[in-house]
């Protein structure tokens, strides 16, 4: 159809107008067509034929059906409204089929042409190629979808604790986002030639299935290259065997490596389509980014496992620590009620481990603990838990015991293991241990902390009995524990509320026969229990972290009292002896605190005598010796207390900056019946004179003892014979009475 005939007013004018229209239509730079109301092409211009690749004859003969792409929309309601005259024009985008087979996206504008009477005659269509814009929009939309999917996966990877669940979500996101047939994740299996399938998703099967497995040959190629391998068409693939892909009807795909927790690869992540497909850089970047998300999740989970391990295991031996032991103990106690079985906790402590550290060094001590851990484990069942509580203390959890006596047999095996020789730093060691056992009966209501505490109480009982043995916790120990806890709480309150007091026992210079100084002795009158001796509450203070504030209070109170006496003109040349615990002595700042207190009270340093025991010095010899040297250099006097018991040796008399040593009362009480005791006392006094320090005899209670210690060469005496510990308000009278009895000048001795 060349044109549409109408009733002309002037044939020449119409022919001229039609010629101009034909020229303008044919030569127009925009693709145009005159479309009949039935949808057929009535006329097409050259631009349209060039755009679509068809001749004008082909287009007019084939009509709209020739160029409409099947992916486009069907005839719209807008076209019906246009051809029936309800609207004048409308615009839309749709895909058109090029003669070569590819798709062209066109922005189409349809306008209605009416006759002189206003009836619809035909439409004029204009087609503008917007394929580039459409590709850009689709790419932007695809990128946005990929970024959204990647963001969701990244968020999930931060919180998901189950990696398999994350893997399943990942492959589903790939099939949904990249519009591929299947996606899968495989892991490298140590010692296996083929990666192990972890997760897969198929477009036609939302659940994981065998059909969603990655191709083994493709995966191997990716792992060997440590780089992505993209297959755009299996027909042209030569890098690996593609027969399995063809058999499954897969034509294209991508597989990328997934890095693992360390340098070794974790596996591969891939996807496949059933038709050849030109995967672009965005597709590859998305898949690799997803693989990186999986790597991040793997490393996060590994780091969290590491942190959990560190939080629940001892760093030296890698054994469970106290926290993990208590957690397992709670579970064991819950199970034993259901299973009607016994649970036992063994508290294990090496005997004299400190001696190993002191003689061979802490490095050797650590090596010993590391070597001991596997030995102890071999003596236990696989179901038992061996934990290190700290230092040389261990705990063993035994659960599911039918016979509680089995716990004693386990303790005996552990003692035997410890007793086996150990080669360490060129030395052969034979060790022993003390073990406490606490049992939880099937029907008892024991708590985990209580059971561990009870085992510790029994262990200390075994240690006090000489070590190298085990003790079973009983009701008597439980009562003792409850009593000790209550007393410790009361002691803490007494220290905080000023319920303690000091009494002072004079020391006597035996040569001058007069009082020469005082020892400050702490006393506690409990509001309900009455007088509680230092031998009972001092160890509690040391065990429960109260000795530091207690010692600081005693030092300040004693020196303040001495200052008061000096200000009143009493005991101006006498000194004050104050005991310093092992905990205080092992703290580097002690000397500076004492110097500051002496300056504050304006007391000469030599008015203070610090009393220490050799065991306190050996707790931390380096710090203790440095503290004692500093005190001695400043003028403070040092006395070695309880000499002759425990680990005391003559070597300490040479190595420590001493001004005096105090013979333990055990020597004094045995003088009358033991020639050996007298010989030792004489030898010590002779050595003291050589080293130029004094000797104090403690616990002198009879006149006979006083005469003996004086005859043997002791310089000072202290004990009930001379004076009992006295309250500060009564001390002046006590010293006056003492000096009068001894025949010396009251309070005048230095």
């Amino acid at each position: 159809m060349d044109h549409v005939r109408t009733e002309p007013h002037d044939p020449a004018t119409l022919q001229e107008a039609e010629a101009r229209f034909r020229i303008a239509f044919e030569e127009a730079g925009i693709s145009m067509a005159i479309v009949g109301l039935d949808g057929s092409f009535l006329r097409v211009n050259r631009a349209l034929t060039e755009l679509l690749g068809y001749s004008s004859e082909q287009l007019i003969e084939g009509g709209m059906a020739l160029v409409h792409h099947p992916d486009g929309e069907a005839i719209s309601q807008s076209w019906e409204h246009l051809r029936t005259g309800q609207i004048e024009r409308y615009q839309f985008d749709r895909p058109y089929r090029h003669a070569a087979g590819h798709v062209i996206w066109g922005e189409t504008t349809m306008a209605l042409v009416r006759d002189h009477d206003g009836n619809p005659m035909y439409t004029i269509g204009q087609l503008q190629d917007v394929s580039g814009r459409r590709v850009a929009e689709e790419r932007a939309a695809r990128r946005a979808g990929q970024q959204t999917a990647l963001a969701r996966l990244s968020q999930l990877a931060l919180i998901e604790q189950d990696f398999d669940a994350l893997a399943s979500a990942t492959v589903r996101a790939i099939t949904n986002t990249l519009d591929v047939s299947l996606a899968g994740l495989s892991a490298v299996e140590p010692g296996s030639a083929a990666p192990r399938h972890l997760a897969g998703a198929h477009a036609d099967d939302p659940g994981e299935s065998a059909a969603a497995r990655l191709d083994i040959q493709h995966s191997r190629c990716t792992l060997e290259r440590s780089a992505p391998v993209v297959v755009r068409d299996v027909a042209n693939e030569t890098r690996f065997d593609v027969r399995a892909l063809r058999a499954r009807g897969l034509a294209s795909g991508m597989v990328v490596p997934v890095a693992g927790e360390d340098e070794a690869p974790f596996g591969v992540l891939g996807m496949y389509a059933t038709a050849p497909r030109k995967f672009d850089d965005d597709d590859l970047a998305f898949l690799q980014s997803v693989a990186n998300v999986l790597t991040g999740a793997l490393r996060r989970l590994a780091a969290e496992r590491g942190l959990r391990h560190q939080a629940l295991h001892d760093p030296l031996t890698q054994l469970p620590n106290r926290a993990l032991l208590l957690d397992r103990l709670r579970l064991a106690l819950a199970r034993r009620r259901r299973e009607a079985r016994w649970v036992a906790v063994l508290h294990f402590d090496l005997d004299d481990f400190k001696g190993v550290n002191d003689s061979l060094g802490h490095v050797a001590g650590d090596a010993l603990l590391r070597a001991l851990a596997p030995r102890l484990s071999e003596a236990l069942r696989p179901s038992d838990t061996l934990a290190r509580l700290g230092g040389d203390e261990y705990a063993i959890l035994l659960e599911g015991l039918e016979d509680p006596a089995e716990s004693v047999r386990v303790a005996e095996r552990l003692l035997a293991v410890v007793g086996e020789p150990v080669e360490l730093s060129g030395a052969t060691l034979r060790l022993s241990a003390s073990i406490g056992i606490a049992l939880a009966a099937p029907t008892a209501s024991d708590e985990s902390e209580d059971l561990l505490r009870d085992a510790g109480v029994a262990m200390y009982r075994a240690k006090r009995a000489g070590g190298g043995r085990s003790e079973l916790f009983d009701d008597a120990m439980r009562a003792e524990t409850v009593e000790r806890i209550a007393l410790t709480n009361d002691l803490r309150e007494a220290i905080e509320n000023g319920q303690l007091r000091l009494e002072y026992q004079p020391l006597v210079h035996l040569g001058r026969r007069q009082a020469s100084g005082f020892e400050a002795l702490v006393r506690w009158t409990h509001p309900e229990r009455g007088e509680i001796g230092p031998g009972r509450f001092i160890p509690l203070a040391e065990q429960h972290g109260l000795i530091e504030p207690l010692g600081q209070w005693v030092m300040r109170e004693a020196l303040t009292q001495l200052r008061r006496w000096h200000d009143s003109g009493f005991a101006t040349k006498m000194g004050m002896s104050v005991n310093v615990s092992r905990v205080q002595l092992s703290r580097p700042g002690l000397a500076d605190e004492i110097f500051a207190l002496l300056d504050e009270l304006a007391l000469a340093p030599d008015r203070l005598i610090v009393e220490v025991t050799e065991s306190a010095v050996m707790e931390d010899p380096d710090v203790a010796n440095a503290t004692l040297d500093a005190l001695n250099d400043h003028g403070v006097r040092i006395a070695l207390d309880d000499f002759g018991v425990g680990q005391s040796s003559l070597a300490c008399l040479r190595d420590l900056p001493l001004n005096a040593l105090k013979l333990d009362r055990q020597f004094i009480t045995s003088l009358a019946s033991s020639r050996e005791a007298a010989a030792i006392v004489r030898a010590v006094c002779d050595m003291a004179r050589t080293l130029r320090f004094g000797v104090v005899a403690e616990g002198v209670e009879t006149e006979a003892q006083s005469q003996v210690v004086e005859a043997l060469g002791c310089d000072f005496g202290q004990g009930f014979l001379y004076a009992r510990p006295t309250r500060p308000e009564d001390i002046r009278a006590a010293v006056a009475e003492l000096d009068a009895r001894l025949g010396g000048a009251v309070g005048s001795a230095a």
Side-chain angles (χ1 to χ4, degrees):
M1 178 177 180
D2 294 333
H3 61 274
V4 178
R5 297 184 179 277
T6 61
E7 193 65 33
H9 292 74
D10 184 343
T13 301
L14 289 176
Q15 289 178 358
E16 182 179 350
E18 185 175 331
R20 287 198 299 272
F21 172 77
R22 182 180 296 111
I23 293 172
F25 179 82
E26 290 293 338
E27 301 302 326
I30 188 169
S31 302
M32 299 178 64
I34 297 176
V35 182
L37 298 181
D38 60 355
S40 62
F41 287 125
L42 303 180
R43 178 179 291 175
V44 296
N45 70 353
R46 183 167 50 251
L48 183 63
T49 61
E50 292 174 352
L51 176 64
L52 297 178
Y54 297 98
S55 65
S56 58
E57 290 78 9
Q58 289 175 315
L59 290 173
I60 291 173
E61 181 179 353
M64 287 289 191
L66 178 65
V67 296
H68 277 192
H69 194 277
D71 291 343
E73 297 179 358
I75 299 300
S76 68
Q77 189 176 11
S78 297
W79 166 255
E80 292 297 325
H81 290 168
L82 180 69
R83 75 183 189 85
T84 56
Q86 298 178 56
I87 58 175
E88 299 299 318
R89 66 191 301 277
Y90 78 98
Q91 190 176 61
F92 58 91
D93 286 358
R94 69 165 298 134
Y96 292 94
R97 183 164 45 199
H98 191 275
H102 61 269
V103 176
I104 292 176
W105 273 91
E107 180 183 86
T108 305
T109 303
M110 303 295 295
L112 181 65
V113 177
R114 298 176 183 270
D115 60 18
H116 294 298
D117 297 327
N119 297 317
M121 295 175 56
Y122 55 85
T123 63
I124 296 179
Q126 293 183 349
L127 180 64
Q128 182 178 357
D129 184 3
V130 294
S131 298
R133 186 193 74 192
R134 186 75 182 197
V135 168
E137 290 175 349
E138 288 179 347
R139 185 174 185 181
R142 189 167 65 253
R143 279 182 175 177
Q146 291 173 356
Q147 291 171 356
T148 299
L150 192 61
R152 289 173 179 169
L153 287 175
S154 298
Q155 185 178 18
L156 182 62
L158 290 174
I159 59 175
E160 180 60 67
Q161 296 299 315
D162 184 352
F163 184 79
D164 290 342
L166 175 63
S168 298
T170 297
V171 293
R172 287 195 299 270
I174 292 173
T175 57
N176 294 337
T177 304
L178 293 183
D179 190 26
V180 290
S181 300
L182 65 88
L185 173 67
S186 297
V188 175
E189 192 75 14
S192 174
R196 177 172 58 90
H197 176 71
L198 286 183
H202 200 285
D204 299 328
D205 180 8
E208 299 176 14
S209 65
R213 296 175 183 269
L214 294 179
D215 180 67
I216 292 177
Q217 299 299 328
H218 195 172
S219 299
R220 285 176 178 167
C221 184
T222 302
L223 290 171
E224 290 171 359
R225 294 168 179 258
S226 297
V229 175
V230 180
V231 177
R232 292 181 171 84
D233 190 343
V234 296
N236 302 320
E237 182 56 57
T238 60
R239 291 169 293 183
F240 59 90
D241 188 348
V242 296
R243 284 177 295 181
L245 287 175
R246 287 176 174 170
R248 297 166 66 186
L250 302 174
S252 58
M254 290 190 295
V255 174
V256 299
V258 179
E261 300 170 9
D262 45 30
E263 298 300 323
F266 170 77
V268 291
L269 176 68
M271 60 187 187
Y272 294 104
T274 55
R277 178 166 168 178
K278 185 179 180 181
F279 294 108
D280 60 18
D281 292 342
D282 288 345
D283 297 332
L284 181 57
F286 170 72
L287 190 62
Q288 188 62 66
S289 296
V290 173
N292 294 342
V293 168
L294 293 176
T295 297
L298 286 168
R299 292 175 178 174
R300 174 186 65 81
L301 292 171
E304 290 177 356
R305 285 195 302 272
L307 290 174
R308 284 195 296 271
H309 183 87
Q310 291 177 18
L312 297 174
H313 289 79
D314 167 57
L316 179 66
T317 63
Q318 296 305 308
L319 293 174
N321 62 11
R322 182 187 183 92
L324 183 53
L325 173 74
L326 288 173
D327 184 62
R328 292 182 179 178
L329 180 53
R330 280 190 289 270
L331 295 175
L333 291 174
R335 283 193 295 268
R336 62 88 198 249
R337 297 187 184 98
R338 297 193 301 269
E339 299 171 359
R341 300 291 182 92
W342 289 75
V343 169
V345 173
L346 280 61
H347 193 128
F348 174 105
D349 185 85
L350 289 175
D351 296 329
D352 195 29
F353 178 69
K354 183 177 179 299
V356 177
N357 279 333
D358 291 344
S359 59
L360 300 179
H362 289 279
V363 173
D366 289 347
L368 173 61
L369 294 176
R370 283 193 296 268
L372 187 61
R375 288 191 178 192
L376 297 177
S377 297
E378 290 174 2
L380 302 174
R381 302 171 304 172
S383 59
D384 299 333
T385 297
L386 170 65
R388 183 181 178 219
L389 302 181
D392 59 327
E393 294 187 45
Y394 298 83
I396 298 95
L397 166 62
L398 309 176
E399 58 177 311
L401 300 178
E402 294 184 1
D403 181 3
E406 176 62 21
S407 63
V408 178
R409 291 192 286 271
V410 171
E412 292 172 350
R413 290 202 302 270
L414 293 173
L415 292 174
V417 166
V418 174
E420 295 173 357
V422 179
E423 296 294 331
L424 191 66
S425 300
T428 300
L429 304 180
R430 288 187 177 274
L431 306 172
S432 65
S434 300
I435 300 178
I437 306 170
L439 293 168
T443 57
S445 58
D446 303 82
E447 296 295 333
S448 54
E449 288 279 6
D450 297 337
L451 202 61
L452 184 58
R453 181 201 64 210
D454 293 347
V457 170
M459 183 273 292
Y460 283 113
R461 175 73 64 86
K463 195 170 287 291
R464 288 195 298 270
R469 57 183 294 165
S470 65
E471 286 280 351
L472 190 63
F473 185 84
D474 55 22
D475 291 339
M477 290 186 191
R478 188 182 303 278
E480 179 184 330
T481 300
V482 173
E483 171 73 9
R484 188 174 65 252
I485 292 174
L487 199 60
T488 300
N489 292 333
D490 291 346
L491 177 59
R492 180 177 289 106
E493 183 178 346
I495 295 172
E496 293 173 353
N497 299 333
Q499 297 175 4
L500 302 176
R501 71 180 192 279
L502 292 184
E503 292 184 352
Y504 303 90
Q505 186 174 31
L507 279 75
V508 172
H509 192 295
L510 297 177
R512 298 173 184 170
R513 303 197 59 78
Q514 62 185 27
S516 62
F518 307 95
E519 180 178 359
L521 302 171
V522 64
R523 295 293 184 259
W524 180 21
T525 303
H526 192 280
E528 297 174 359
R529 304 169 187 261
E531 288 296 326
I532 298 176
R536 189 175 180 191
F537 69 80
I538 293 296
L540 289 180
E542 291 180 336
Q543 293 170 15
H544 299 283
L546 300 176
I547 196 65
E548 188 92 16
L550 176 58
Q552 290 173 342
W553 176 83
V554 169
M555 180 69 71
R556 172 170 287 276
E557 180 66 19
L559 293 181
T560 300
Q561 183 61 62
L562 184 63
R563 177 73 268 169
R564 294 192 193 103
W565 289 336
H566 286 186
D567 290 343
S568 68
F570 171 67
T572 55
K573 296 182 179 181
M574 300 173 74
M576 181 69 71
S577 296
V578 179
N579 288 278
V580 171
S581 72
R582 59 180 179 81
V583 176
Q584 292 174 282
L585 197 58
S586 64
R587 186 169 51 81
L590 175 64
D592 290 336
E593 289 181 5
I594 291 176
F595 299 154
L597 181 57
L598 290 170
D599 289 343
E600 177 188 335
L601 298 174
L603 285 172
D606 64 354
R607 297 298 92 186
L608 171 63
I609 301 95
V610 169
E611 293 192 10
V612 297
T613 62
E614 186 184 9
S615 61
V617 174
M618 296 309 297
E619 183 77 17
D620 191 337
D622 293 338
V623 175
N625 285 328
T627 298
L628 294 178
D629 286 340
L631 291 171
N632 180 66
D633 293 344
H634 199 72
V636 174
R637 290 183 282 176
I638 311 296
L640 185 65
D641 198 11
D642 296 337
F643 183 79
V645 297
Q647 299 297 320
S648 293
S649 65
L650 297 179
C652 70
L653 304 183
R654 178 198 61 201
D655 298 336
L656 297 178
L658 298 177
N659 300 100
L661 64 84
K662 303 182 74 172
L663 289 172
D664 187 76
R665 66 181 63 247
Q666 292 181 16
F667 276 112
I668 309 306
T669 56
S670 61
L671 285 176
S673 59
S674 172
R675 292 183 179 180
E676 291 80 1
I680 292 174
V681 172
R682 184 180 296 278
V684 171
C685 291
D686 291 343
M687 186 185 310
R689 277 192 292 272
T690 301
L691 297 175
R692 297 183 179 179
F693 54 76
V695 177
V696 181
E698 292 188 286
V700 179
E701 298 183 354
T702 68
E703 187 64 40
Q705 290 173 348
S706 176
Q707 293 173 1
V708 171
V709 297
E710 187 173 355
L712 292 175
C714 291
D715 303 286
F716 302 89
Q718 181 180 355
F720 288 174
L721 173 65
Y722 309 114
R724 291 179 175 273
T726 306
R727 293 176 179 270
E729 59 269 24
D730 300 326
I731 198 68
R732 187 186 295 264
V735 169
E737 189 276 331
L738 172 61
D739 284 351
R741 179 157 41 92
L742 295 174
V746 178
S748 61

